[in-house]
Amino acid sequence: MRAMVYRGPYKIRVEEKDLPLIEHPNDAIVRVTTAAICGSDLHLYHGLMPDTRVGSTFGHEFVGVVHEVGPSVRNLSVGDRVMVPFNIYCGTCYFCARGLYSNCHNVNPNATAVGGIYGYSHTTGGYDGAQAEYVRVPFADVGPTIVPDWMDEEDAVLCTDALATGYFGAQLADIAEGDVVVVFGAGPVGLFAARSAWLMGAGRVIVVDHIEDRLEMARSFAYAETVNFTQHKDIVVEMKRTTGWLGADRVIDAVGAEADGHLLQHVTSAKLKLQGGSPVALNWAIDSVRKGGTVSVMGAYGPIFSAVKFGDAMNKGLTLRMNQAPVKRQWPRLFEHMRNGYLTPSDIVTHRIPLEHIAEGYHIFSAKLDGCIKPLVVPGAA
Amino acid sequence: MPYTADKPPLPETPEQLRARIPGWGADLDPADRPSSPREVRGLKTGAHWDLPEQQEEHQPRERSIEHARLTPVFGTSVPLKGLSGVVRRYAYERFSEARAAHWLLLIAADRVDAVESHLASLFTRRPDNPLTETGVLAEPSYHPVRSRAGRVDVRHQILDPVIVVGPWVLAGVVVYRRVRAMVRRART
Ligand SMILES: NC(=O)c1ccc[n+]([C@@H]2O[C@H](COP(=O)([O-])OP(=O)(O)OC[C@H]3O[C@@H](n4cnc5c(N)ncnc54)[C@H](O)[C@@H]3O)[C@@H](O)[C@H]2O)c1
Ligand SMILES: [Zn+2]
Ligand SMILES: [Zn+2]
């Protein structure tokens, strides 16, 4: 089969790989029909995530058709059209039994501090991902769901991560009616978090980024006010000013490890790998939220330490909430919102890239060229 | 105003927001949101086991020493190999996730892996090609200048080529030294 393969930082190519095999009785093999590139994939692509091996295949957002099932699979049959959450999880361990699907204890031998994710380095379990023609799906009875008839393929792909994550991020922010919500980052996760904040009754939603195309999308798609942080000498002061000098009630970090805006922080983490992630946006969040407020962290950081302003968080009495999103827990409600027309995820898709051209796709998304916001990957389209 | 008890007034009323934004307030009740409360028992997951069956271990699988056992299911992409494999195995066997050494060794092994793999690729029918693999050839067709206007990340994007070309320069030096040593040995 054809598959995207990592060749070292900033380098990928498409190779011929063996078809994945059923390795456990509850595995399925899924033929991928649409996948996507996520902001998280950029951390791998830039060589930031420890134990990212040359030869591995990325991709954790996908929709496809069941090609083969293991002997213990009951809930799926060959030919079913399925959407698969980015989390790999068993459904019954201590954590899964409590709904913490993204923190499963039974799928990642390499680390206890993170669950299992498709195509996301050995630090999340060493699984190959879905930017390929076929992918192994462990616990086929637990993760995948048959795509509802009414749901569009591209909407379904966005449900497997970005939309569910943005929606989850808004929930972790503890939004109450009339709250002022600031979202750092106008990538897919930030855009969906901003849009979701309104569902939870936000009174104002302000999105911060430095890329104009994305801020435009934040205005048109997420109905948000926008602030370009390059146009302010000090973004924290601007956040204070615009919130009546109190700070925002709730702030969502939808940026993560490669945050810009502070050259030293960015270079020491994203380029030199001396920090787990550049905490620029997280520190801005901590300093922009009001005392007693909540910071919801959706941005991903590596497992090494980062220079976070913890003292401010403590002195301000903040609540910090965060996790990888437990995607499938969000689905029933998200599906309702989509049917009602409250959420229209595929509106943010800007590029559809044939698998054979994925190296260019990564470059465009990574360098944020051509107004790229959300690129999808289509196997067999070249 | 922040010096009194009042909340600053909002620019729009709930009625205005409801009229302007599809679904405004649909999840108004904090107790009625999918991840609330965060930990709940009794969700239907589709699993029909208490403990999943063990996936077969065909070759020794490295694991965190914070795990009591090999997890029932694990990924089998790219098993350990070469010098990077030695470093990775050492990082897993010797240091817990709590130790910086664990992660710094894994990061170092990633760099070794890249160099090893580039060198190895030179002896295959498909050597690595930094031009096609970095996707930079796409630049001209995707508005390279206009797309970057006014952005702060442009300042460090110039470092990207260093990261890409670095391992090649390193590999070149290694090969050059090897060859030179071999030639010298052959002469004496
Ligand atoms: N928690 C989860 O389950 C989960 C799931 C998916 C993605 N993520 C993480 O969420 C983050 C965002 O993902 P994405 O797909 O939207 O990525 P993205 O790269 O498309 O978006 C990040 C955005 O942040 C902007 N940005 C950079 N520095 C900033 C700063 N200091 N302030 C404000 N904005 C800044 C960038 O310009 C970009 O628009 C990533 O870190 C990703 O790993 C987490
Ligand atoms: Zn993702
Ligand atoms: Zn589990």
Side-chain angles (χ1 to χ4, degrees), chain A residues 210-211 213 363-364 366-371, chain B residues 136 139-140 142-155 157-158 160:
Chain A
H210 65 122
I211 299 181
D213 302 320
H363 181 72
I364 296 162
S366 164
K368 312 239 177 320
L369 302 182
D370 199 38
Chain B
V136 288
E139 283 270 337
Y142 291 95
H143 314 296
V145 179
R146 172 150 51 86
S147 300
R148 289 187 171 92
R151 286 163 43 180
V152 293
D153 52 342
V154 178
R155 284 187 293 168
Q157 276 189 10
I158 37 177
D160 296 350

Coordinates of all heavy atoms in Angstrom, one line a residue, chain A residues 210-211 213 363-364 366-371, chain B residues 136 139-140 142-155 157-158 160:
Chain A
H210 N -1.8 35.6 14.8 CA -1.1 36.7 14.0 C -1.2 36.4 12.5 O -0.6 37.1 11.7 CB 0.4 36.7 14.4 CG 1.2 35.5 14.1 ND1 2.3 35.4 13.3 CD2 0.9 34.2 14.4 CE1 2.7 34.2 13.2 NE2 1.9 33.4 13.9
I211 N -2.0 35.4 12.1 CA -2.2 35.1 10.7 C -3.5 35.7 10.3 O -4.6 35.2 10.8 CB -2.0 33.6 10.5 CG1 -0.6 33.2 10.9 CG2 -2.3 33.3 9.0 CD1 -0.3 31.7 10.7
D213 N -5.4 35.5 7.6 CA -6.5 34.6 7.0 C -7.2 33.8 8.1 O -8.4 33.6 7.9 CB -5.8 33.5 6.1 CG -5.0 34.2 5.0 OD1 -5.4 35.2 4.4 OD2 -3.9 33.6 4.7
H363 N 4.3 20.9 4.0 CA 5.1 22.2 4.0 C 4.1 23.4 4.0 O 4.3 24.4 4.7 CB 6.0 22.2 2.7 CG 6.7 23.5 2.6 ND1 7.8 23.8 3.5 CD2 6.6 24.6 1.9 CE1 8.2 25.0 3.2 NE2 7.5 25.5 2.2
I364 N 3.0 23.3 3.2 CA 2.1 24.4 3.1 C 1.4 24.7 4.4 O 1.3 25.8 4.9 CB 1.0 24.1 2.0 CG1 1.6 24.0 0.6 CG2 -0.1 25.2 2.0 CD1 0.7 23.3 -0.3
S366 N 2.6 23.7 7.4 CA 3.6 24.0 8.4 C 4.0 25.5 8.3 O 4.0 26.2 9.3 CB 4.8 23.1 8.3 OG 5.9 23.6 9.0
A367 N 4.2 25.9 7.0 CA 4.6 27.3 6.8 C 3.4 28.2 6.7 O 3.6 29.4 6.6 CB 5.5 27.4 5.5
K368 N 2.2 27.6 6.8 CA 1.0 28.4 6.8 C 0.9 29.3 5.5 O 0.7 30.5 5.6 CB 0.8 29.2 8.0 CG 1.0 28.3 9.3 CD -0.1 28.2 10.2 CE -0.1 27.3 11.4 NZ 0.5 26.0 11.5
L369 N 1.1 28.6 4.4 CA 1.0 29.3 3.1 C -0.4 29.3 2.5 O -1.1 28.4 2.9 CB 2.0 28.7 2.1 CG 3.5 28.6 2.5 CD1 4.3 28.0 1.4 CD2 4.0 30.0 2.9
D370 N -0.7 30.1 1.6 CA -1.9 30.0 0.8 C -3.2 30.0 1.6 O -4.1 29.3 1.2 CB -1.7 28.7 -0.1 CG -2.7 28.8 -1.3 OD1 -2.9 29.8 -1.9 OD2 -3.3 27.7 -1.6
G371 N -3.2 30.6 2.8 CA -4.4 30.6 3.6 C -4.8 29.3 4.1 O -5.9 29.0 4.4
Chain B
V136 N 9.4 21.9 -0.3 CA 9.7 23.3 -0.6 C 9.4 23.6 -2.1 O 9.2 24.7 -2.4 CB 11.1 23.7 -0.3 CG1 11.4 23.8 1.2 CG2 12.1 22.8 -1.0
E139 N 6.6 25.8 -2.9 CA 6.6 27.3 -2.5 C 6.0 28.2 -3.6 O 5.1 28.9 -3.4 CB 8.0 27.7 -2.1 CG 8.4 27.3 -0.7 CD 8.0 28.3 0.3 OE1 7.9 29.5 0.0 OE2 7.9 27.9 1.5
P140 N 6.6 28.1 -4.9 CA 6.2 29.1 -5.9 C 4.7 29.1 -6.2 O 4.2 30.1 -6.5 CB 7.0 28.6 -7.1 CG 8.1 27.7 -6.6 CD 7.7 27.2 -5.3
Y142 N 2.3 28.6 -4.1 CA 1.4 28.9 -3.0 C 1.6 30.2 -2.3 O 1.6 30.3 -1.1 CB 1.4 27.7 -2.0 CG 0.8 26.5 -2.5 CD1 1.6 25.5 -3.1 CD2 -0.6 26.3 -2.5 CE1 1.0 24.3 -3.6 CE2 -1.2 25.1 -3.0 CZ -0.4 24.1 -3.5 OH -1.0 23.0 -4.0
H143 N 1.9 31.2 -3.1 CA 2.0 32.6 -2.6 C 3.0 32.8 -1.4 O 2.6 33.1 -0.3 CB 0.6 33.1 -2.1 CG -0.4 32.9 -3.1 ND1 -0.4 33.4 -4.4 CD2 -1.5 32.1 -3.1 CE1 -1.5 33.0 -5.0 NE2 -2.2 32.1 -4.3
P144 N 4.3 32.4 -1.7 CA 5.3 32.4 -0.6 C 5.4 33.8 0.1 O 5.7 33.9 1.3 CB 6.6 32.0 -1.2 CG 6.4 32.2 -2.7 CD 4.9 32.1 -2.9
V145 N 5.3 34.9 -0.6 CA 5.6 36.2 -0.1 C 4.3 36.7 0.6 O 4.3 37.0 1.8 CB 6.1 37.2 -1.1 CG1 6.3 38.5 -0.5 CG2 7.4 36.6 -1.8
R146 N 3.2 36.7 -0.1 CA 2.0 37.3 0.4 C 1.6 36.5 1.7 O 1.1 37.1 2.7 CB 0.9 37.2 -0.6 CG -0.5 37.6 -0.1 CD -1.4 38.2 -1.2 NE -1.5 37.5 -2.4 CZ -2.3 36.4 -2.6 NH1 -3.2 36.1 -1.7 NH2 -2.3 35.8 -3.8
S147 N 1.7 35.2 1.7 CA 1.3 34.4 2.8 C 2.1 34.7 4.1 O 1.6 34.4 5.2 CB 1.5 32.9 2.5 OG 0.8 32.5 1.4
R148 N 3.3 35.3 3.9 CA 4.1 35.5 5.1 C 4.0 36.9 5.6 O 4.6 37.2 6.7 CB 5.6 35.1 4.8 CG 5.8 33.6 4.7 CD 7.2 33.3 4.6 NE 7.5 31.8 4.6 CZ 7.6 31.0 3.6 NH1 7.4 31.5 2.4 NH2 7.8 29.7 3.7
A149 N 3.3 37.8 5.0 CA 3.3 39.2 5.3 C 2.8 39.4 6.8 O 1.8 38.8 7.1 CB 2.4 40.0 4.3
G150 N 3.5 40.2 7.5 CA 3.1 40.6 8.9 C 3.1 39.5 9.9 O 2.6 39.7 11.0
R151 N 3.8 38.4 9.7 CA 3.8 37.3 10.7 C 5.1 37.3 11.5 O 6.1 37.7 11.0 CB 3.6 36.0 10.0 CG 2.2 35.7 9.5 CD 2.2 34.6 8.5 NE 3.0 33.5 8.8 CZ 3.0 32.4 8.1 NH1 2.4 32.3 6.9 NH2 3.8 31.4 8.5
V152 N 5.0 36.9 12.7 CA 6.2 36.9 13.6 C 7.0 35.7 13.4 O 8.2 35.7 13.7 CB 5.8 37.0 15.1 CG1 5.2 38.4 15.4 CG2 4.9 35.9 15.5
D153 N 6.4 34.6 12.8 CA 7.3 33.4 12.8 C 8.3 33.4 11.6 O 9.1 32.5 11.5 CB 6.4 32.1 12.6 CG 5.3 32.2 11.5 OD1 5.1 33.4 11.1 OD2 4.8 31.2 11.1
V154 N 8.2 34.4 10.8 CA 9.1 34.5 9.7 C 10.5 34.7 10.2 O 11.5 34.2 9.6 CB 8.7 35.7 8.7 CG1 9.7 35.8 7.6 CG2 7.3 35.5 8.2
R155 N 10.7 35.3 11.4 CA 12.0 35.6 11.9 C 12.8 34.3 12.2 O 14.0 34.3 12.1 CB 11.9 36.3 13.2 CG 11.6 37.8 13.0 CD 11.6 38.5 14.3 NE 10.6 38.1 15.2 CZ 10.5 38.4 16.5 NH1 11.5 39.1 17.1 NH2 9.5 38.0 17.2
Q157 N 11.8 31.2 10.8 CA 11.6 30.2 9.7 C 13.0 30.0 9.0 O 13.2 29.0 8.4 CB 10.5 30.7 8.7 CG 9.1 30.2 9.2 CD 8.1 30.4 8.1 OE1 8.3 30.7 7.0 NE2 6.8 30.2 8.5
I158 N 13.8 31.1 9.0 CA 15.1 30.9 8.4 C 16.0 29.8 9.0 O 16.9 29.3 8.5 CB 15.9 32.2 8.4 CG1 15.7 33.0 9.7 CG2 15.6 33.1 7.1 CD1 16.5 34.3 9.8
D160 N 14.8 26.9 9.8 CA 14.3 25.6 9.3 C 15.3 24.9 8.4 O 15.6 23.7 8.5 CB 13.0 25.7 8.6 CG 11.9 26.2 9.6 OD1 12.2 26.2 10.9 OD2 10.8 26.5 9.2

